[in-house]
C-alpha cells in the first residue's frame, strides 16, 4: 500500500501551523499520530497535497489540572491517557475509555486530538467527551475559540473544526462528589472499533437518587449522541436494577441505527440497550462506592 | 497461553524432546530474509491492475496516460502475451472437469473481482501505484453468479459460456448397500451444513522476484511458495526455459496455510517480465490484493443424511456436496473436495457410504487447499451429524461416538472409500481427553447452569485425517515422494539438504534432531538447508502435513546410509569387523572394547582425505535418499470445547479447550504443540469469526482486515494440550503429521458446544461463523425464548 505523493511541512508553533493551513485549506491535512490518516492515505482514500506535522509542538502535549478543569493537550496519546496518574485521579472515565482503543501499538501513537478530529462514528472517545461536557479549545487564524463537545460532532467523520483550525486542547470540568462513570463497549470482531460503546455518568444526591445522569453512545448512529431519553428516565430515581433497565431500554430512541455486515440496525438498537444498562449499572456502583470513578 | 501436559517420554537424545527452534532467533529478531528483504540493484517494481467487476467484458483498455507517467518502464496487458503464454492449466482435476482457459492476464473478459488485467513496471512501487490510477478500463458488466445453489439451477447465467452449465465437474463414491442401510435404520438424521469460504491469511502475502542473467542464460525466481520444485517445473513448461537453467528460491516464507501451494498468474508473469526487460523485477502483494486474488478455502454446502439404529449404531451415510470452486480452477482446486468425500466416515465404522460431489463455477476467486484442505469439511459434516443423531436419540455425544469407533484391533482398516487407515486408538484418546476436561463434572455443571438460566455448552469432536501426502500412485493432491541429502562435512559438521520446503513449521529443527540422533552428533552441529532448487535435491513441497513423515524419513534414510558407511570406515581404521562397531556419544567404538574408538570427526576426515578407506569405497560422506511412502498416515484426536453463550448479546465465550491429538511418534513436542495451537486458532477462527463475503454483484465485502475478522490473541482461549502416541506403520519414524490437525478438530468442537448450549431452545444447528448477532437472532426467533 503506497500513498500518493505529498509534501511534508513541520511548523514551529501553532501560529505557523494555522497560517499554513489557512493558506492551503483543504489541500493540507494536520498529521498527529497518523493512525487514521496514514492508513487512509495508503488506501488512497485521502491524498492531501500537504501534511502538516504538528507532532513536535510542545504546547499540544501538556496535561494540567486545576481546581475546576482538567486540560489535556490534543497530542496526548491514548497510552498516556490510559496510564497517567493525574488522569486516573481526575477523570478515570477517560482512562477507561482510552484503554478500549485498538491495540497497544495504536494506543502508543494515536492521539486524543486526532481521534476526536477524525470523528469516526465507531470511535471510543466521542461519547465520553459528550458525557464529560468537554470543551474543545481550537486555534484558528482569528485566534482561539471554544467548541462544546455536543456541538463538535456534526456528521459522519465530520466536525465543527474548520480546515484552517487546529484542536489545541480538551478541557474537562471537574466532576461533583458521589459521581460514578463507566465506559463499556462491544467490539466489532475484525476492527476492534465499537459496535456499541456507552459512556455514562451518574451523580447521586443526598437521598441516594440520581441527581445527574449522562449517557453518551458511540457506534450506533453516524454521530455520537447523548441519550437524553435515558437520562431523563433515570434522573431523580433510585439507581436500582429496575430503574436502570427501564431507562436503558430508551438508549436508541429516536435514532436510526447504522447497519453493516457486522451488526444490523436492529441488533445495534438492542445492544445499545444492553450496553447502556451495563454501563449505568457500573457507574451507579461506582457512584455509591467510596472511591470515585 | 497454553497449558501443556506432558505424559509421553522422549525416545532419543534429541528426538522426542522439547528443543528450541533453530529458526526462531533469526525470525523473531527481524533477521529473516523474505522475498521483500532481498534487494537487487536496478529492480523494476510491478503493480497489477485488477478487475473491479465480477463478470464483465472489457470493452476498452487504455494505458496511454499511465504509460506516459515519468518513471513507468512498461505496461503489459493480456494482448502482449498472446502466443507467449496463454494458459496456466490446473494439476488436480476430475475426469469430467471442464477446464477453462486460465490466462495470465485477462484480455477481453474478467470473471472475478481482483482478476489481473495489466501489469505496470515502474522505477518504484509508488509510481507503479500512481500509474494504475491512470489506466482507463471500460467494462460491459454481465450477470454475476455468486451463490452455488443458484448457480446450478437451470437458466442461471454462466461463468464460462463454453461449458453447458456451472457444474464444473463431479465425483461419486459409493460403497456398501446404502439403500438397505437406510431401509434398516430406525432414524434418519439430516442436516444441511454450510462450510463457509475463508481466507488462508499468511502473515506474509505473496511475493515474487525474478532476475534473468543473460550471460549464463539463467533465470532465478524468488517466490514465497510452498513448492519451489513444482513451481520450477511449471515455469519451465510455461516459459519454455530448461529446468536446469531455472532456479527457484523459496527464502524465508511467512506462512502459507495452503495459499502458496499453487502456481499463480503473477508467479508466471514476473519471470517473463524479467527476461523481457533484462532487469530484476519484483512484486510484493498488498493485503487487499491478497484477500482478492490469493486462493480461498472451504466453501462447501453439505447435505448429509445419517442412518442410525435406535441404540445409536450408524448404518450408512449419504452426502451430497456442492463445492464453490470460483471461476478458474487453480492447481488443486477441483480435487480438494474429493478429500472430503474419502474422509467422510471419520472415525466410525459405517458400512455404507454414498457421496456425490459437484464442483460449481462462480464469479469468485478460486478455492484451493487451505489448512486441512477437504478434511475439515469432512470432519465437520460427520461430527455435526453425529451430534445431531445423539441429540435425537437422547444419547450422550461421547457414548454415540464410542459405540461406533473403529476398535484398535481392527487396524489396518479399509474404509468405505478404499483408504487403509494405518493405526488408531480412538476410544483411548477420547477417554483421555474427557478425563482431562473433567467431562462428567462439566455435565453436572451444565445442569446447574441450565437451572440458573445460563447457556453452557460442551462440544466434542473426534477426528481422523489423512496426512503424509502420499503414495506416488495416488492422484493429486497425492503428493508422492520427498528427498534429502545428508552430508557430514570434512570437519564433522553436518549439513542436511531437504527437497521439502518448510515455511514456519520448524523442520530446520526437527530434521536436525533426526540427523543428530542418527549420526550421534551434537544438535548444534547440524544445519538444515531448504528452498533453493539450485542447492537442494529434488523435492515436491510442503503441504498435506507431509514434511516430517515423508521429508523427515528421507533425512532418516540418508543418515542411516551414512551411518553404515561410517561404521565401515571406522572398522577399517580400527581394524575390526564392522559388525562389532557401535555408534555412541559421537564416537564409533568396538562393542567388545569401547576404548577402541574413533570419533565421527576422525571418520569424516578419513572419508575426505580418502587415504585409509576400505578397498573400493568411494570417498566422501554424503548420501541422498528418496522416500516414497506406500500409504498415507491417519492422525486422529479428540477436542473438547466448553462455552457459555451470553443470552442477551449472543456472544460466545470459550471457557475451556482441551486438545488431545495423536500424530504418532513425536520428534519435538514443542513444535507439535505450536502446530496444534496455530491450527486450533484457525479452526476457531472459522467457527467464530471468519467469513469471506461476496455481495450479489460479486464484490468482496470482507476485503480488508477491518472487515474480515481474523482472530487475534485476545479473541482466543487458553488451550490445554496433551496427546496419545500411536505410531504409524507407513514410515520407519512412526510419525504421522500434525500441521492441520488443530484446524480439523477445532471447528466442529466449537460449533457442537454452541449448539449444545442452545439445546434448551430446541436449536439443532447454526451455520458458521457463529457471530454474536447470528446467535442472538437464532435464539430470538425461537418461541421458547420469549
Ligand atoms: C488498527 C487500528 C485500530 C484502531 N482501533 C480503534 C478503536 O478501537 N477505537 C478508536 O476509537 N479508535 C481506533 N483506532 C483509531 C485511533 O484511535 C486513531 O489514533 C485516531 O483515530 C486518530 O488519532 P491520530 O493521532 O493517529 O490522528 P491522525 O491519523 O494523525 O489524524 C486523524 C485526523 O485528524 C486530523 N487531526 C489530527 N490531529 C488534529 C488536531 N490537533 N487538530 C485538527 N485536526 C487534527 C488529521 O488531519 C486527520 O484528518 C484504530 C486505529 C488503528 C490503526
Amino acid at each position: 500500500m503506497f500513498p500518493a505523493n505529498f509534501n511534508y511541512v513541520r511548523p514551529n508553533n501553532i501560529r505557523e501551523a494555522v497560517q499554513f493551513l489557512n493558506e492551503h485549506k483543504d489541500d493540507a491535512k494536520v498529521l498527529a499520530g497518523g493512525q487514521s490518516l496514514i492508513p487512509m492515505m495508503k488506501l488512497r482514500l485521502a491524498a492531501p497535497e500537504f501534511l502538516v506535522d504538528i507532532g513536535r509542538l510542545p504546547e499540544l502535549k501538556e496535561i494540567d489540572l486545576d481546581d475546576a478543569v482538567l486540560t489535556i493537550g490534543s497530542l496526548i496519546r491514548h497510552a498516556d491517557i490510559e496510564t497517567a496518574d493525574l488522569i486516573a485521579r481526575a477523570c478515570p472515565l477517560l482512562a477507561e475509555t482510552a484503554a478500549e482503543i485498538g491495540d497497544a501499538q495504536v494506543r502508543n501513537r494515536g492521539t486524543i486530538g486526532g481521534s476526536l478530529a477524525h470523528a469516526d462514528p465507531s470511535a471510543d472517545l466521542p461519547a465520553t467527551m459528550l458525557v464529560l461536557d468537554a470543551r474543545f479549545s481550537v486555534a484558528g487564524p482569528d485566534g482561539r475559540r471554544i467548541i462544546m463537545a455536543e456541538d463538535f460532532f456534526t456528521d459522519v467523520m465530520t466536525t465543527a473544526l474548520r480546515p484552517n483550525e487546529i484542536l489545541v486542547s480538551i478541557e474537562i470540568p471537574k466532576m461533583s462528589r458521589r459521581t460514578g462513570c463507566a465506559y463499556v463497549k462491544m467490539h466489532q470482531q475484525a476492527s476492534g472499533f465499537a459496535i456499541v460503546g456507552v459512556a455514562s455518568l451518574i451523580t447521586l444526591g443526598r437521598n441516594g437518587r440520581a441527581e445527574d445522569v449522562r449517557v453518551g453512545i458511540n457506534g450506533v448512529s453516524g454521530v455520537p449522541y447523548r441519550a437524553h431519553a435515558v437520562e431523563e428516565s433515570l434522573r431523580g430515581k433510585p439507581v436500582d436494577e429496575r430503574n436502570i433497565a427501564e431507562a436503558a431500554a430508551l438508549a436508541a430512541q429516536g435514532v436510526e441505527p447504522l447497519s453493516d455486515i457486522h451488526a444490523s440496525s436492529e441488533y445495534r438498537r438492542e445492544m445499545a440497550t444492553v450496553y447502556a444498562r451495563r454501563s449505568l449499572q457500573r457507574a451507579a456502583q461506582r457512584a455509591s462506592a467510596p472511591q470515585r470513578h | 497461553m497454553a497449558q501443556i501436559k506432558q505424559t509421553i517420554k522422549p525416545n532419543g537424545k534429541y528426538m522426542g524432546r522439547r528443543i528450541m527452534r533453530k529458526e526462531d532467533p533469526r525470525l523473531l529478531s527481524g533477521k529473516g530474509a523474505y522475498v521483500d528483504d532481498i534487494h537487487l540493484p536496478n529492480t523494476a517494481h510491478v503493480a497489477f491492475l485488477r478487475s473491479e467487476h465480477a463478470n464483465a467484458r472489457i470493452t476498452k483498455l487504455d494505458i496511454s496516460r499511465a504509460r506516459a507517467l515519468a518513471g513507468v518502464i512498461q505496461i503489459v496487458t493480456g494482448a502482449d502475451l498472446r502466443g507467449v503464454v496463454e494458459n496456466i492449466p490446473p494439476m488436480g482435476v476430475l475426469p469430467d472437469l471442464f477446464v477453462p482457459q486460465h490466462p495470465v492476464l485477462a484480455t477481453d473478459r474478467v470473471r472475478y473481482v481482483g482478476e489481473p488485467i495489466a501489469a505496470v513496471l515502474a522505477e518504484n512501487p509508488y509510481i507503479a501505484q500512481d500509474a494504475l490510477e491512470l489506466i482507463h478500463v471500460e467494462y460491459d458488466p454481465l450477470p454475476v453468479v455468486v451463490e452455488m445453489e443458484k448457480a446450478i439451477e437451470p437458466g442461471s447465467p454462466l461463468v464460462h459460456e463454453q461449458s453447458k452449465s456451472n457444474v464444473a465437474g463431479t465425483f461419486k463414491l459409493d460403497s456398501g448397500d446404502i439403500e438397505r442401510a437406510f431401509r434398516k435404520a430406525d432414524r434418519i438424521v439430516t442436516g444441511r451444513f454450510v462450510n463457509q469460504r475463508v481466507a488462508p491469511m499468511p502473515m506474509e502475502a505473496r511475493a515474487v522476484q525474478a532476475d534473468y542473467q543473460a550471460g549464463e542464460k539463467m533465470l532465478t525466481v524468488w517466490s514465497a511458495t510452498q513448492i519451489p520444485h513444482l513451481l520450477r517445473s511449471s515455469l519451465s513448461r510455461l516459459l519454455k526455459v530448461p529446468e536446469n537453467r531455472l532456479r527457484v528460491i523459496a527464502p524465508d516464507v511467512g506462512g502459507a496455510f495452503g495459499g502458496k501451494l499453487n502456481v499463480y498468474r503473477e508467479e508466471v508473469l514476473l519471470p517473463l517480465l524479467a527476461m523481457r526487460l533484462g532487469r530484476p523485477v519484483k512484486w510484493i502483494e498488498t493485503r487487499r490484493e491478497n484477500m482478492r486474488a490469493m486462493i480461498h478455502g472451504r466453501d462447501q454446502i453439505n447435505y448429509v443424511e445419517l442412518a442410525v439404529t435406535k441404540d445409536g449404531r450408524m448404518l450408512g451415510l449419504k452426502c451430497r456436496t456442492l463445492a464453490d470452486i470460483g471461476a478458474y480452477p487453480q492447481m488443486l482446486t477441483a480435487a480438494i473436495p474429493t478429500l472430503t468425500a474419502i474422509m467422510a466416515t471419520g472415525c466410525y465404522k459405517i458400512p455404507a457410504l454414498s457421496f456425490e460431489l459437484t464442483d460449481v463455477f462462480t464469479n469468485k476467486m478460486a478455492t484451493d487447499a487451505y489448512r486441512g484442505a477437504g478434511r475439515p469439511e469432512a470432519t465437520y459434516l460427520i461430527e455435526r451429524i453425529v451430534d445431531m443423531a445423539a441429540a435425537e436419540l437422547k444419547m450422550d455425544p461421547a457414548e454415540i461416538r464410542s459405540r461406533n469407533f473403529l476398535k484398535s484391533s481392527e487396524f489396518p482398516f479399509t474404509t468405505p472409500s478404499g483408504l487403509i487407515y494405518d493405526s488408531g486408538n480412538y476410544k483411548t484418546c477420547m477417554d483421555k481427553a474427557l478425563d482431562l476436561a473433567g467431562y462428567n463434572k462439566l455435565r453436572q455443571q451444565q445442569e446447574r447452569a441450565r437451572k440458573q438460566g445460563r447457556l453452557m455448552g460442551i462440544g466434542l469432536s473426534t477426528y481422523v485425517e489423512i496426512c503424509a501426502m502420499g503414495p506416488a500412485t495416488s492422484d493429486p493432491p497425492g503428493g508422492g515422494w520427498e528427498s534429502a541429502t545428508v552430508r557430514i562435512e570434512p570437519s564433522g559438521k553436518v549439513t542436511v539438504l531437504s527437497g521439502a520446503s518448510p515455511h514456519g513449521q520448524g523442520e530446520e529443527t526437527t530434521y536436525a534432531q533426526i540427523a543428530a540422533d542418527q549420526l550421534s552428533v551434537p544438535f548444534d552441529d547440524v544445519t538444515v538447508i531448504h528452498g533453493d532448487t539450485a542447492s537442494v535435491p529434488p523435492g515436491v513441497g510442503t503441504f498435506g502435513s507431509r514434511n516430517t513423515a515423508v521429508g523427515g524419513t528421507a533425512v532418516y534414510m540418508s543418515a542411516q546410509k551414512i551411518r553404515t558407511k561410517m561404521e565401515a570406515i571406522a572398522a577399517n581404521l580400527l581394524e575390526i569387523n564392522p559388525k562389532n562397531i557401535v555408534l555412541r556419544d559421537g564416537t564409533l567404538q568396538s562393542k567388545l572394547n569401547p576404548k577402541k574408538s574413533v570419533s565421527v570427526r576422525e571418520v569424516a576426515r578419513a572419508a575426505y582425505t580418502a587415504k585409509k578407506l576400505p578397498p573400493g569405497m568411494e570417498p566422501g560422506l554424503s548420501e541422498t535418499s528418496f522416500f516414497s511412502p506406500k500409504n498415507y498416515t491417519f492422525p486422529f484426536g479428540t477436542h473438547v470445547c466448553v462455552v457459555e453463550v451470553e443470552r442477551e448479546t449472543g456472544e460466545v465465550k470459550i471457557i475451556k479447550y482441551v486438545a488431545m491429538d495423536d500424530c504418532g511418534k513425536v520428534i519435538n513436542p514443542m513444535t507439535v504443540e505450536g502446530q496444534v495451537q496455530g491450527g486450533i486458532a484457525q479452526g476457531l477462527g472459522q467457527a467464530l469469526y471468519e467469513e469471506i463475503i461476496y455481495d450479489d454483484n460479486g464484490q468482496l465485502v470482507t476485503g480488508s482486515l477491518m472487515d474480515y475478522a481474523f482472530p487475534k490473541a485476545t479473541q482466543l482461549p487458553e488451550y490445554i494440550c496433551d496427546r496419545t502416541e500411536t505410531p504409524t506403520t507407513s514410515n520407519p519414524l512412526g510419525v504421522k503429521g500434525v500441521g492441520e490437525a488443530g484446524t480439523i478438530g477445532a471447528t466442529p468442537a466449537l460449533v457442537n458446544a454452541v449448539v449444545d448450549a442452545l439445546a434448551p431452545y430446541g436449536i439443532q444447528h447454526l451455520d458458521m461463523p457463529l457471530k454474536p448477532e447470528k446467535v442472538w437472532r437464532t435464539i430470538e426467533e425461537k418461541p421458547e425464548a420469549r
Side-chain angles (χ1 to χ4, degrees):
Chain A
M1 300 208 292
F2 300 95
N5 271 336
F6 58 87
N7 299 295
Y8 173 88
V9 285
R10 200 165 72 214
N12 292 310
N13 51 50
I14 294 179
R15 201 177 39 77
E16 263 182 46
V18 167
Q19 215 166 30
F20 191 87
L21 289 174
N22 197 36
E23 277 162 38
H24 297 278
K25 302 247 165 51
D26 286 332
D27 296 333
K29 270 274 176 202
V30 170
L31 175 68
Q35 295 304 291
S36 296
L37 185 53
I38 301 289
M40 301 245 298
M41 289 170 63
K42 285 185 164 184
L43 293 170
R44 299 202 173 206
L45 297 171
E49 203 179 323
F50 297 96
L51 278 190
V52 184
D53 184 358
I54 58 170
R56 299 194 195 181
L57 301 183
E59 309 100 292
L60 304 180
K61 293 186 184 173
E62 284 158 15
I63 305 182
D64 189 47
L65 178 66
D66 66 21
D67 289 347
V69 182
L70 170 68
T71 306
I72 301 172
S74 68
L75 274 185
I76 299 299
R77 300 189 193 273
H78 307 320
D80 296 326
I81 294 177
E82 188 186 349
T83 53
D85 279 345
L86 194 66
I87 293 177
R89 268 187 287 122
C91 190
L93 173 63
L94 197 55
E96 185 167 70
T97 308
E100 289 291 329
I101 296 174
D103 48 45
Q105 290 94 322
V106 169
R107 294 196 295 277
N108 279 335
R109 293 213 57 86
T111 67
I112 182 169
S115 173
L116 296 172
H118 189 63
D120 189 307
S122 306
D124 292 302
L125 287 166
T128 294
M129 293 296 133
L130 294 176
V131 156
L132 293 173
D133 279 340
R135 298 146 43 96
F136 300 161
S137 172
V138 168
D142 307 325
R144 297 287 176 102
R145 65 173 180 133
I146 295 284
I147 310 176
M148 296 301 295
E150 57 176 295
D151 302 324
F152 188 77
F153 305 101
T154 54
D155 206 339
V156 179
M157 300 185 127
T158 313
T159 69
L161 276 178
R162 299 182 191 119
N164 58 5
E165 286 181 327
I166 285 180
L167 175 55
V168 174
S169 61
I170 292 96
E171 297 167 9
I172 296 168
K174 196 174 169 194
M175 281 181 273
S176 344
R177 293 163 59 92
R178 304 204 65 198
T179 295
C181 298
Y183 182 69
V184 294
K185 170 186 187 183
M186 177 180 234
H187 296 256
Q188 196 256 64
Q189 292 177 324
S191 71
F193 277 80
I195 283 185
V196 178
V198 183
S200 62
L201 174 152
I202 295 178
T203 304
L204 294 178
R206 288 192 188 290
N207 53 11
R209 290 166 184 251
E211 198 172 82
D212 188 7
V213 182
R214 299 183 220 160
V215 177
I217 300 186
N218 295 316
V220 175
S221 158
V223 204
Y225 63 93
R226 278 278 290 268
H228 293 296
V230 179
E231 298 174 354
E232 272 155 37
S233 163
L234 193 57
R235 198 172 297 129
K237 291 188 192 155
V239 287
D240 58 26
E241 234 175 86
R242 223 189 82 223
N243 289 335
I244 286 179
E246 220 172 80
L250 308 172
Q253 199 184 62
V255 174
E256 186 45 56
L258 299 170
S259 183
D260 56 34
I261 56 165
H262 304 289
S264 68
S265 178
E266 183 194 1
Y267 186 66
R268 274 200 168 80
R269 183 181 298 282
E270 290 292 328
M271 292 309 110
T273 290
V274 172
Y275 278 81
R277 196 186 70 228
R278 291 179 183 182
S279 183
L280 284 167
Q281 265 162 358
R282 194 176 293 179
Q285 252 167 32
R286 287 170 176 172
S288 356
Q291 122 216 36
R292 280 193 40 202
H293 254 285
Chain B
M1 282 307 286
Q3 242 171 287
I4 308 296
K5 308 272 164 186
Q6 203 164 7
T7 52
I8 293 160
K9 299 251 173 317
N11 57 347
K13 180 154 182 225
Y14 299 111
M15 274 157 76
R17 288 182 197 274
R18 317 178 64 81
I19 289 178
M20 300 286 269
R21 301 201 327 161
K22 276 181 188 282
E23 39 277 86
D24 283 344
R26 170 178 97 239
L27 298 177
L28 297 179
S29 61
K31 296 193 180 82
Y34 300 87
V35 173
D36 201 16
D37 298 316
I38 299 163
H39 301 285
L40 301 178
N42 203 30
T43 295
H45 297 263
V46 179
F48 286 94
L49 178 81
R50 296 179 182 277
S51 173
E52 287 161 22
H53 286 269
N55 195 10
R57 262 187 284 277
I58 299 176
T59 52
K60 189 169 178 190
L61 178 60
D62 180 1
I63 57 169
S64 55
R65 278 181 65 215
R67 183 69 197 78
L69 185 71
V72 170
I73 302 161
Q74 202 175 46
I75 296 175
V76 178
T77 66
D80 301 319
L81 302 177
R82 244 174 238 140
V84 183
V85 42
E86 294 187 346
N87 183 29
I88 308 173
M91 246 175 75
V93 295
L94 302 173
D96 63 348
L97 183 72
F98 175 81
V99 182
Q101 284 282 306
H102 182 209
V104 174
L105 294 172
T107 47
D108 48 357
R109 174 75 179 269
V110 284
R111 291 190 172 85
Y112 64 94
V113 166
E115 182 166 358
I117 297 172
V120 174
L121 289 106
E123 295 298 340
N124 68 45
Y126 295 84
I127 298 173
Q129 206 66 36
D130 291 343
L132 291 184
E133 294 180 4
L134 299 176
I135 298 179
H136 177 71
V137 197
E138 282 173 24
Y139 299 93
D140 178 12
L142 298 167
V144 175
V145 181
V146 179
E147 282 174 44
M148 53 183 144
E149 283 174 327
K150 284 192 190 149
I152 55 168
E153 282 172 11
S156 163
L158 294 177
V159 176
H160 299 282
E161 282 76 15
Q162 303 85 334
S163 84
K164 292 179 297 295
S165 76
N166 290 318
V167 172
T170 58
F171 175 84
K172 260 188 92 113
L173 193 62
D174 285 301
S175 175
D177 189 342
I178 194 78
E179 294 317 324
R180 203 174 101 94
F182 274 73
R183 271 200 312 277
K184 275 181 51 188
D186 295 317
R187 300 279 173 86
I188 292 166
V189 188
T190 62
R192 173 186 177 275
F193 306 134
V194 177
N195 214 300
Q196 83 276 23
R197 185 177 272 248
V198 290
M201 205 68 72
M203 230 195 278
E204 181 204 27
R206 293 178 297 159
V208 188
Q209 176 169 274
D211 185 27
Y212 185 65
Q213 291 100 24
E216 290 115 11
K217 291 208 185 81
M218 190 73 185
L219 176 62
T220 306
V221 180
W222 293 259
S223 180
T225 181
Q226 301 173 231
I227 45 165
H229 287 93
L230 294 185
L231 178 60
R232 184 179 65 154
S233 301
S234 288
L235 291 178
S236 167
R237 262 193 317 274
L238 295 166
L239 303 176
K240 301 171 191 74
V241 176
E243 253 177 326
N244 57 358
R245 302 270 106 202
L246 223 168
R247 176 181 181 191
V248 173
I249 302 173
D252 280 325
V253 174
F257 312 110
K260 298 169 181 172
L261 166 56
N262 233 306
V263 176
Y264 284 104
R265 299 172 184 225
E266 297 88 345
E267 262 173 326
V268 175
L269 186 60
L270 267 274
L272 185 70
L273 296 177
M275 288 193 288
R276 284 196 162 184
L277 203 64
R279 279 174 74 166
V281 296
K282 183 179 234 172
W283 168 64
I284 304 296
E285 187 180 47
T286 66
R287 181 61 59 193
R288 284 165 66 84
E289 272 184 299
N290 180 260
M291 295 181 75
R292 280 161 182 74
M294 190 178 84
I295 59 100
H296 298 144
R298 317 281 186 259
D299 212 351
Q300 292 185 5
I301 301 176
N302 303 289
Y303 309 84
V304 187
E305 292 178 64
L306 181 68
V308 282
T309 63
K310 56 181 181 298
D311 57 352
R313 262 185 323 115
M314 304 178 202
L315 303 177
L317 177 71
K318 281 189 201 170
C319 183
R320 197 163 63 77
T321 290
L322 297 182
D324 182 338
I325 65 165
Y328 302 94
Q330 288 275 349
M331 196 161 116
L332 300 172
T333 298
I336 293 297
T338 63
L339 287 169
T340 308
I342 61 175
M343 292 306 293
T345 51
C347 310
Y348 311 112
K349 197 167 180 177
I350 308 180
L353 169 70
S354 160
F355 201 105
E356 240 178 79
L357 163 69
T358 308
D359 282 356
V360 183
F361 287 126
T362 58
N363 289 115
K364 299 180 191 164
M365 182 58 203
T367 48
D368 204 323
Y370 163 52
R371 200 171 196 168
R375 291 100 89 205
E377 297 92 318
T379 302
Y380 186 74
L381 74 87
I382 187 71
E383 290 304 289
R384 281 296 303 124
I385 203 76
V386 164
D387 254 36
M388 285 167 81
E392 207 169 310
L393 297 168
K394 303 209 163 31
M395 196 176 274
D396 188 286
E399 181 56 31
I400 193 168
R401 285 172 169 80
S402 37
R403 283 190 193 179
N404 290 280
F405 275 157
L406 286 166
K407 294 188 184 57
S408 48
S409 58
E410 291 176 287
F411 293 90
F413 177 83
T414 304
T415 70
S417 57
L419 294 167
I420 301 167
Y421 284 179
D422 52 349
S423 61
N425 219 337
Y426 302 157
K427 174 98 168 63
T428 309
C429 183
M430 181 176 79
D431 288 346
K432 202 172 161 190
L434 295 179
D435 259 7
L436 187 54
Y439 187 67
N440 293 334
K441 258 217 193 101
L442 285 170
R443 285 286 175 211
Q444 292 161 12
Q445 263 178 40
Q446 179 182 38
E447 211 168 298
R448 284 198 299 275
R450 280 184 177 163
K451 282 192 187 126
Q452 298 161 4
R454 279 164 43 224
L455 303 174
M456 177 179 165
I458 305 158
L460 279 188
S461 131
T462 53
Y463 71 87
V464 55
E465 56 147 338
I466 176 169
C467 283
M469 311 272 171
T473 46
S474 63
D475 293 327
W481 49 269
E482 204 53 76
S483 85
T485 299
V486 175
R487 189 164 73 214
I488 302 194
E489 308 290 357
S491 61
K493 304 282 186 203
V494 178
T495 305
V496 175
L497 300 134
S498 168
S501 196
H503 42 275
Q505 295 86 350
E507 274 79 7
E508 288 175 31
T509 306
T510 46
Y511 287 0
Q513 288 176 265
I514 296 171
D517 267 357
Q518 297 319 308
L519 301 174
S520 190
V521 298
F523 172 74
D524 288 339
D525 281 2
V526 186
T527 293
V528 178
I529 292 172
H530 57 80
D532 180 351
T533 62
S535 56
V536 301
V540 176
T542 293
F543 54 89
S545 301
R546 67 195 299 275
N547 256 16
T548 311
V550 189
T553 300
V555 173
Y556 173 81
M557 287 163 63
S558 292
Q560 290 299 318
K561 289 183 191 166
I562 290 198
R563 189 176 173 142
T564 307
K565 187 167 180 180
M566 286 203 296
E567 283 165 5
I569 297 171
N572 197 49
L573 293 172
L574 299 171
E575 298 175 347
I576 57 173
N577 186 333
K579 287 203 184 89
N580 288 333
I581 292 274
V582 56
L583 174 60
R584 187 185 293 145
D585 301 332
T587 62
L588 293 111
Q589 32 185 270
S590 159
K591 276 183 202 161
L592 311 170
N593 176 8
K595 290 217 179 88
K596 260 189 133 169
S597 75
V598 284
S599 68
V600 168
R601 265 177 68 184
E602 285 163 322
V603 171
R605 198 177 312 127
Y608 287 98
T609 52
K611 284 187 183 141
K612 288 190 194 154
L613 293 179
M617 180 182 273
E618 288 177 21
L621 271 181
S622 177
E623 296 288 348
T624 299
S625 307
F626 284 67
F627 177 59
S628 188
K630 297 272 178 298
N631 190 10
Y632 299 98
T633 64
F634 295 88
F636 57 91
T638 298
H639 287 203
V640 184
C641 180
V642 186
V643 300
E644 185 157 339
V645 175
E646 223 174 53
R647 166 68 187 86
E648 58 182 6
T649 61
E651 280 171 298
V652 174
K653 301 227 154 71
I654 299 174
I655 306 168
K656 190 180 238 182
Y657 197 99
V658 170
M660 187 70 64
D661 296 280
D662 191 320
C663 57
K665 286 277 186 195
V666 163
I667 309 285
N668 187 333
M670 199 163 53
T671 56
V672 164
E673 283 143 17
Q675 290 295 307
V676 168
Q677 290 174 29
I680 296 172
Q682 284 182 300
L684 294 179
Q686 177 175 16
L688 281 176
Y689 306 113
E690 296 179 50
E691 183 174 27
I692 286 281
I693 304 173
Y694 285 92
D695 70 11
D696 294 345
N697 297 317
Q699 293 294 331
L700 181 61
V701 181
T702 48
S704 85
L705 290 174
M706 293 293 277
D707 286 313
Y708 184 87
F710 196 72
K712 292 155 205 82
T714 53
Q715 293 169 303
L716 292 166
E718 177 184 358
Y719 312 121
I720 305 169
C721 298
D722 197 3
R723 52 200 164 81
T724 57
E725 199 171 284
T726 313
T728 182
T729 49
S730 304
N731 64 62
L733 292 172
V735 302
K736 289 189 170 178
V738 72
E740 297 157 288
T743 320
I744 293 166
T747 313
L750 186 284
V751 177
N752 284 345
V754 172
V755 173
D756 185 47
L758 301 181
Y761 295 113
I763 290 163
Q764 285 159 347
H765 180 69
L766 246 90
D767 279 324
M768 304 180 286
L770 302 181
K771 296 202 174 230
E773 177 166 1
K774 187 187 283 176
V775 175
W776 173 82
R777 194 170 291 283
T778 310
I779 300 173
E780 286 289 304
E781 280 164 4
K782 287 286 165 184
E784 293 88 333
R786 313 259 152 205

